[in-house]
Amino acid sequence: EPEVTQTPSHQVTQMGQEVILRCVPISNHLYFYWYRQILGQKVEFLVSFYNNEISEKSEIFDDQFSVERPDGSNFTLKIRSTKLEDSAMYFCASSSGTYTEAFFGQGTRLTVV
Amino acid sequence: DAKTTQPPSMDCAEGRAANLPCNHSTISGNEYVYWYRQIHSQGPQYIIHGLKNNETNEMASLIITEDRKSSTLILPHATLRDTAVYYCIVRVATYAGNQFYFGTGTSLTVIP
């Protein structure tokens, strides 16, 4: 069964450093998403991406964040200068259309120290 | 934001049906009802979705009331592996995609 793959599973970074989280969405999907979940809190929508541009973003997704689809298979989330409060699980998801379900990856646990 | 109300927790005996309720009294005509679950800290897992008809798949059944103000997710024979947080989400799809706004969900514990 096709699945969304995320790497790495766990990343530790120093405060102020840049991190790139990587995702390989399901191959025939057209819509891509990033979510995050701070420990013990809700899953929060960050951004959606369609047709090589951001289609929607939440208040959380400020100038420190950016997304990119550098080639035909990868989808990345970059955090420019990490803060302690960026520590969270980051989930990538993809869907084939606007009325179809989204499939989530297993997440990258980001720890900022 | 999620416009649903779910009980914070429920228990269910193993092998019995788990019936998880969700109120969405302000749902509009073009909003779908989606159910996801999250086992421990894994990625949310899609279960089922529907608009107004009842739906069934290999995982669960979704019963939506005629006025669409509430729905029930039914896991017909709960197993210990069904212990998870279950999220009911109403969502109108837009050109931008199918973004989901998760609430706090129902924590289901399946008891041996």
Side-chain angles (χ1 to χ4, degrees):
Chain A
E1 186 174 310
E3 60 181 15
V4 176
T5 306
Q6 291 187 242
T7 54
S9 57
H10 191 186
Q11 180 149 3
V12 181
T13 190
Q14 297 257 342
M15 190 170 54
Q17 295 295 305
E18 174 183 285
V19 293
I20 297 177
L21 309 183
R22 302 181 192 279
C23 169
V24 179
I26 294 173
S27 63
N28 61 345
H29 284 186
L30 301 175
Y31 297 83
F32 314 110
Y33 315 87
W34 283 101
Y35 292 78
R36 79 172 186 191
Q37 186 174 31
I38 295 170
L39 187 64
Q41 298 187 22
K42 296 187 295 186
V43 177
E44 300 173 292
F45 166 73
L46 293 179
V47 66
S48 60
F49 192 86
Y50 169 68
N51 201 25
N52 285 318
E53 61 183 18
I54 290 174
S55 50
E56 187 172 323
K57 59 183 180 180
S58 71
E59 298 173 346
I60 304 168
F61 194 88
D62 61 22
D63 292 344
Q64 291 287 85
F65 293 91
S66 62
V67 289
E68 192 177 33
R69 188 155 162 82
D71 53 42
S73 59
N74 291 284
F75 181 50
T76 61
L77 174 69
K78 181 192 292 185
I79 308 175
R80 218 178 315 277
S81 177
T82 50
K83 303 187 278 281
L84 295 176
E85 53 264 39
D86 294 327
S87 295
M89 281 288 282
Y90 287 82
F91 296 109
C92 173
S94 68
S95 66
S96 59
T98 56
Y99 286 96
T100 58
E101 64 274 24
F103 293 89
F104 286 74
Q106 289 306 297
T108 293
R109 179 171 298 283
L110 176 66
T111 303
V112 182
V113 297
Chain B
D1 286 338
K3 301 183 293 183
T4 62
T5 304
Q6 299 178 253
S9 63
M10 292 180 63
D11 293 338
C12 177
E14 187 178 17
R16 305 297 290 267
N19 296 284
L20 292 93
C22 180
N23 286 320
H24 30 80
S25 58
T26 60
I27 193 169
S28 59
N30 58 351
E31 287 186 308
Y32 285 74
V33 180
Y34 289 81
W35 283 84
Y36 277 80
R37 72 181 182 183
Q38 188 175 27
I39 297 172
H40 198 49
S41 294
Q42 297 177 24
Q45 179 187 22
Y46 167 77
I47 302 173
I48 200 166
H49 74 283
L51 183 61
K52 53 184 177 181
N53 297 322
N54 297 338
E55 302 287 343
T56 295
N57 63 21
E58 65 278 4
M59 287 183 69
S61 294
L62 173 61
I63 309 298
I64 303 174
T65 58
E66 195 168 333
D67 63 7
R68 302 207 327 122
K69 292 183 185 299
S70 66
S71 60
T72 301
L73 178 74
I74 300 172
L75 308 178
H77 305 286
T79 70
L80 299 179
R81 287 178 295 181
D82 292 322
T83 292
V85 179
Y86 287 77
Y87 300 99
C88 168
I89 303 167
V90 296
R91 173 68 192 163
V92 57
T94 69
Y95 77 94
N98 212 3
Q99 300 83 317
F100 295 103
Y101 292 90
F102 289 80
T104 53
T106 294
S107 179
L108 175 69
T109 302
V110 180
I111 301 167

